[in-house]
Amino acid sequence: MAGCRVVDPASGTSRLANVVIEGQTIRSVGEESAGLRIECDGLVCGPGLVDLSTHLREPGREDAETIETGTRAAAAGGYTAVCALPTTDPVMDHAGIVEQVLRLAREAGHCEVVPVGAITRNLDGAELAEMGAMHAAGVRAFYDADHPILSAQVLRRAMIYAKTWDAIVINHAEDSALTRGAQMNEGPLSTRLGLQGAPREAEEIMIARDLLLAERVGARIHVPHVTTRRGVGLIAEAKARGARVTADVTPHHLVLDESVLEDYETRFKVRPPLRTPDDIAALRDGLQDGTIDAIASDHAPLPADDKDTEWDTAPAGSTGLETTLAVCLTELVDAEAEPDDRGAGTLSLLELLQLLSVGPAKARDITEHGQAIAAGRPANLVLFDPSRTWAVDATSMETRSRNSAFDGRSVRGHVIHTVLRGRFTMNDGRVV
Amino acid sequence: MRDLLSMEDLSAEQITRILDTAEEFKDLAVRPIKKVPVLRGRTVCNLFYEDSTRTRISFEVAEKRLSADVINFSAKGSSVSKGESLKDTALTLQAMGVDAIVIRHSAAGAPRRLTEWVDAKVLNAGDGRHQHPTQGLLDLFTIRERLGHLEGLRVAICGDVVHSRVARSLVQGLATMGCEVTLVGPPTLLPPGVESWPVQVSHDLDSVLDALDVCYLLRVQNERMAEQFFPSAREYARIWGMDIERLRRLPEHGIVMHPGPMNRGVEISADVADADQAVIVDQVTNGVAVRMSCLYLMLGGEQRSGEQR
Ligand SMILES: [Zn+2]
């Protein structure tokens, strides 16, 4: 990889260099070498991206996505590892499904798939799933995806039990008694649009409760897709107390506020709902001060028919694997600033790559990804053109679904190559 | 006027034009032949995904008096349960060349979505808890008819504002026409973000009564009790219900309104409903004229008034 700008958040450095890959690992950074030479002038070389929450849908909802199409989308987006959520049918709540998903992912070969097991059987919030058997099959984190565990007792038991392997427990923060029938963020706009609102306390109460439980039992907890100012504050306080907590935020919650709902466009229906500009400011502050560890795509592919309907009946979710890097680069990083400088942006390029790769890998104990770009490390890399602009077109993506909240948006930053263990999964703009 | 989706879309001039036109159509209703040929050859579909015989009949009468061809599509009882059917139905109507669709739907924003799928003009006949613009317009018409004008009137809207599309449309219409509006009811039934509305808020009906020109009572559904918005119908009636004693405290010219159907004995007592000051029947009568006016202005009015000039 000749002449690229190596932006390495693990070491906090940025320099122009050649990256020499041999087999599955990086041999050196900086020297010339014999062999295949890829001209990378003008490209940024960063660690391969790691996604904390990806709905791959297979088995069960192959009309929305398959492991093949989902991991192709990941490669196209610059990801070398994605955490697959247990929203399959049957649910990924036992070792058999974990093994099936891992096998299909290996066969596809477009990116590493890290399975996330369910906490409870069939995501019903009642009976614990066989976490030990799943752990033996390769699961390191447990999450009932968008099904919040309402019973504090069940979640507490799960946390204590997960300590057996020091596994991470994740809970969708939503008190669903407060959000029954809710269609968007509660406030003046929900009232004007006539859509029932979800009060922000529904999220904040659950974050507070889950943090209390985790701190008490000494468990590792991850707060997914935080969306409110108060939620960020609760996580910051817990971190200050030394709690073993990590958190993520999605690109759509960082960029879009509820005002885009004016026309009832269902592609903006996501869960938790889009909030307000004040929340967005708090989320961005949380990225800057390290309260939030990662940006997660929350890639939730849905068939077109499901979304092409009235707002109330449309399911919530947006695709994200192929847009996250570009959307975040466009909206959060100053194009003129140096890689280690925020300039007028929310984040420096180094910080963004930290949040898209090193941070999420650490939050899941994924040791093969989000590593330093240095000799001897696994060659998991993304190379992108930070200045190339393109228009998001939901109809021409690798993912099988079309429900992108960013459809039609003009963005900057185009992935050219993705390298997984020394092998191209995306080469010259094409998924391999 | 292309579509009529929300009272928000209407300026004071447009509202006045609709009400003035409705007045002309109301005169028609007392003539022996109640039909005018202005929409002859035009096809209007009443697309009702939610049960409302009253509103549907009001529209149907209005359409027939304008000589339009009328199609009624009721989703009730059919296998319509998932949302795709709205789009499918819309595309069918589009293929049949329908000129206007009057839609009632339980989902807020469904009429707005419909405009993306069809070329026909869309008239919102009530969507979820969002808007019901023709109800708001017929209310304005009735107030103006009875009190002579709208500007400067003091109006209280009492009851279940949070679940009411009627209240949303009416508040906007009253504000546009320069009325002073007070929302009255228990805080559980007032909407989040009400602070940003052009209204006063009170939880005490008795304290506002003697200064009112209009007391507008909203229907309080029994299921709100099950959902614990208030403890019991009896308690609601005692604190926020309009009874004959409260009626006496209204100024002499003050009127009582209700969008129907009424829960007698809850938000309104039977003797108030039948009192002279209650204009609830007028509201129903005026509904036809106002809906004729809206359809006329949407489907042919602009063009025809141009021809006249
Ligand atoms: Zn969730």
Side-chain angles (χ1 to χ4, degrees):
Chain A
M1 304 288 177
C4 44
R5 172 154 295 277
V6 179
V7 178
D8 181 19
S11 63
T13 58
S14 154
R15 61 192 162 124
L16 283 173
N18 299 331
V19 179
V20 182
I21 298 168
E22 198 172 77
Q24 301 195 3
T25 52
I26 297 170
R27 204 188 75 190
S28 71
V29 178
E31 298 164 28
E32 280 296 337
S33 80
L36 179 66
R37 180 188 165 99
I38 313 284
E39 293 303 332
C40 294
D41 279 349
L43 300 190
V44 167
C45 173
L49 308 187
V50 177
D51 192 37
L52 285 182
S53 62
T54 306
H55 296 267
L56 285 177
R57 307 287 190 210
E58 187 180 2
R61 283 308 302 272
E62 289 83 356
D63 56 330
E65 194 83 285
T66 62
I67 289 173
E68 168 72 17
T69 59
T71 54
R72 283 181 73 91
Y79 288 90
T80 53
V82 299
C83 297
L85 300 184
T87 47
T88 48
D89 184 13
V91 167
M92 190 150 55
D93 61 1
H94 57 282
I97 298 283
V98 173
E99 282 157 7
Q100 184 188 353
V101 166
L102 285 172
R103 181 176 51 77
L104 289 168
R106 258 194 314 276
E107 283 167 12
H110 305 297
C111 89
E112 185 161 337
V113 170
V114 182
V116 175
I119 298 172
T120 65
R121 281 179 212 189
N122 211 25
L123 310 175
D124 65 6
E127 286 175 86
L128 292 188
E130 289 179 354
M131 294 160 95
M134 285 191 278
H135 180 265
V139 168
R140 298 291 177 269
F142 297 92
Y143 183 17
D144 275 3
D146 44 3
H147 297 249
I149 293 183
L150 289 184
S151 160
Q153 177 68 288
V154 169
L155 189 68
R156 189 171 188 272
R157 286 271 154 75
M159 285 174 170
I160 296 170
Y161 191 64
K163 283 182 69 182
T164 316
W165 312 280
D166 207 28
I168 301 140
V169 168
I170 309 160
N171 189 26
H172 175 87
E174 178 179 340
D175 181 336
S176 36
L178 282 173
T179 58
R180 199 151 41 95
Q183 298 291 337
M184 63 174 291
N185 181 48
E186 182 182 273
L189 186 65
S190 66
T191 292
R192 189 157 74 72
L193 295 179
L195 295 172
Q196 181 158 329
R200 53 194 55 243
E201 311 87 83
E203 178 170 330
E204 293 154 356
I205 285 169
M206 287 292 263
I207 293 176
R209 184 199 79 171
D210 295 354
L211 289 171
L212 282 175
L213 293 172
E215 283 183 70
R216 180 78 180 92
V217 304
R220 294 175 70 184
I221 183 177
H222 178 85
V223 182
H225 48 57
V226 56
T227 68
T228 76
R229 172 173 289 279
R230 197 72 200 273
V232 176
L234 288 163
I235 295 159
E237 287 162 21
K239 281 194 167 182
R241 287 192 301 269
R244 303 173 76 200
V245 55
T246 52
D248 72 68
V249 62
T250 76
H252 39 275
H253 291 113
L254 282 168
V255 170
L256 303 171
D257 70 60
E258 60 176 5
S259 65
V260 298
L261 272 53
E262 280 289 338
D263 291 333
Y264 302 90
E265 289 286 351
T266 54
R267 64 200 166 96
F268 297 121
K269 185 165 174 178
V270 290
R271 198 158 151 237
L274 298 177
R275 305 280 186 189
T276 66
D278 177 62
D279 294 302
I280 289 177
L283 295 174
R284 292 182 175 198
D285 288 347
L287 292 179
Q288 289 183 334
D289 65 21
T291 302
I292 298 171
D293 303 85
I295 297 171
S297 79
D298 212 8
H299 180 76
L302 295 162
D305 278 356
D306 283 24
K307 279 282 196 183
D308 209 358
T309 177
E310 303 90 300
W311 180 277
D312 282 24
T313 43
S318 170
T319 59
L321 288 171
E322 287 160 88
T323 51
T324 294
L325 174 62
V327 165
C328 293
L329 199 63
T330 309
E331 300 290 335
L332 304 176
V333 177
D334 182 345
E336 307 298 322
E338 292 298 311
D340 57 352
D341 183 23
R342 282 179 189 162
T346 299
L347 300 171
S348 69
L349 181 56
L350 265 168
E351 289 171 319
L352 177 63
L353 292 176
Q354 164 81 24
L355 288 157
L356 288 172
S357 176
V358 180
K362 275 192 184 147
R364 286 288 184 286
D365 293 344
I366 302 170
T367 51
E368 297 295 296
H369 298 263
Q371 293 290 307
I373 303 173
R377 300 303 175 100
N380 294 317
L381 302 168
V382 58
L383 289 105
F384 61 95
D385 181 344
S387 54
R388 182 149 145 205
T389 58
W390 52 289
V392 176
D393 175 5
T395 61
S396 64
M397 289 199 190
E398 296 291 343
T399 174
R400 180 162 282 185
S401 289
R402 305 281 170 254
N403 55 304
S404 168
F406 295 105
D407 192 21
R409 214 175 169 94
S410 172
V411 291
R412 167 173 73 82
H414 200 262
V415 176
I416 309 294
H417 308 291
T418 307
V419 179
L420 175 66
R421 291 189 294 275
R423 191 173 56 75
F424 282 122
T425 53
M426 174 93 160
N427 189 6
D428 214 4
R430 305 179 92 99
V431 175
V432 179
Chain B
M1 187 157 61
R2 218 217 101 76
D3 305 305
L4 179 53
L5 303 180
S6 164
M7 192 68 104
E8 245 177 286
D9 306 335
L10 299 176
S11 65
E13 293 70 34
Q14 284 172 304
I15 290 174
T16 303
R17 173 131 196 251
I18 292 168
L19 302 190
D20 291 348
T21 309
E23 239 167 60
E24 292 173 30
F25 282 124
K26 194 175 175 184
D27 293 342
L28 188 73
V30 298
R31 287 193 222 145
I33 295 170
K34 298 179 169 55
K35 269 179 110 139
V36 285
V38 292
L39 295 189
R40 185 178 292 151
R42 301 300 198 98
T43 307
V44 181
C45 177
N46 298 315
L47 185 57
F48 275 57
Y49 279 81
E50 202 183 60
D51 228 3
S52 175
T53 313
R54 300 159 53 100
T55 304
R56 191 184 54 72
I57 289 176
S58 180
F59 270 105
E60 199 173 334
V61 171
E63 290 148 8
K64 287 185 168 160
R65 287 193 181 160
L66 294 169
S67 308
D69 295 324
V70 179
I71 304 169
N72 283 310
F73 180 96
S74 166
K76 202 208 162 223
S78 72
S79 60
V80 172
S81 58
K82 265 210 89 178
E84 291 100 312
S85 59
L86 175 61
K87 188 182 181 189
D88 291 345
T89 308
L91 296 179
T92 304
L93 294 173
Q94 168 77 3
M96 291 175 176
V98 164
D99 297 298
I101 299 172
V102 174
I103 177 173
R104 159 73 64 108
H105 201 291
S106 61
R112 175 71 185 75
R113 294 287 282 164
L114 189 60
T115 62
E116 292 167 22
W117 298 321
V118 295
D119 297 328
K121 299 190 173 185
V122 175
L123 195 159
N124 180 3
D127 61 331
R129 53 175 79 168
H130 176 222
Q131 284 275 324
H132 192 1
T134 57
Q135 175 73 44
L137 289 163
L138 74 88
D139 292 332
L140 294 176
F141 183 92
T142 307
I143 297 169
R144 193 179 81 164
E145 182 181 60
R146 190 75 172 221
L147 300 178
H149 67 288
L150 289 167
E151 202 183 339
L153 292 181
R154 274 173 294 210
V155 182
I157 299 174
C158 185
D160 187 1
V161 180
V162 67
H163 298 100
S164 173
R165 55 189 167 216
V166 173
R168 277 174 186 62
S169 292
L170 184 57
V171 165
Q172 278 165 356
L174 290 167
T176 303
M177 301 312 288
C179 301
E180 278 175 44
V181 183
T182 306
L183 300 181
V184 184
T188 46
L189 293 180
L190 295 177
V194 71
E195 316 80 56
S196 64
W197 286 21
V199 297
Q200 313 265 11
V201 171
S202 168
H203 306 305
D204 183 3
L205 181 58
D206 289 309
S207 72
V208 301
L209 275 179
D210 48 358
L212 289 182
D213 301 298
V214 179
C215 185
Y216 196 106
L217 305 166
L218 295 169
R219 177 175 163 80
V220 180
Q221 282 170 323
N222 287 329
E223 66 217 59
R224 304 299 168 227
M225 224 154 57
E227 295 162 24
Q228 299 292 302
F229 283 90
F230 53 88
S232 73
R234 193 148 30 105
E235 172 154 319
Y236 185 91
R238 184 177 302 153
I239 305 177
W240 293 284
M242 178 59 88
D243 57 18
I244 203 79
E245 258 171 59
R246 287 194 169 121
L247 182 69
R248 288 204 190 98
R249 303 203 11 225
L250 272 186
E252 212 173 318
H253 68 276
I255 56 174
V256 173
M257 302 177 75
H258 193 294
M262 293 178 276
N263 285 314
R264 290 176 187 241
V266 186
E267 72 269 4
I268 187 164
S269 69
D271 40 11
V272 172
D274 301 330
D276 289 341
Q277 281 166 286
V279 297
I280 297 156
V281 178
D282 300 6
Q283 288 173 269
V284 177
T285 308
N286 294 335
V288 173
V290 165
R291 289 175 176 127
M292 287 174 80
S293 168
C294 291
L295 288 163
Y296 169 74
L297 292 172
M298 282 170 77
L299 281 173
E302 308 288 350
Q303 187 193 345
R304 273 169 198 281
S305 64
E307 280 166 17
Q308 276 165 15
R309 256 181 257 131

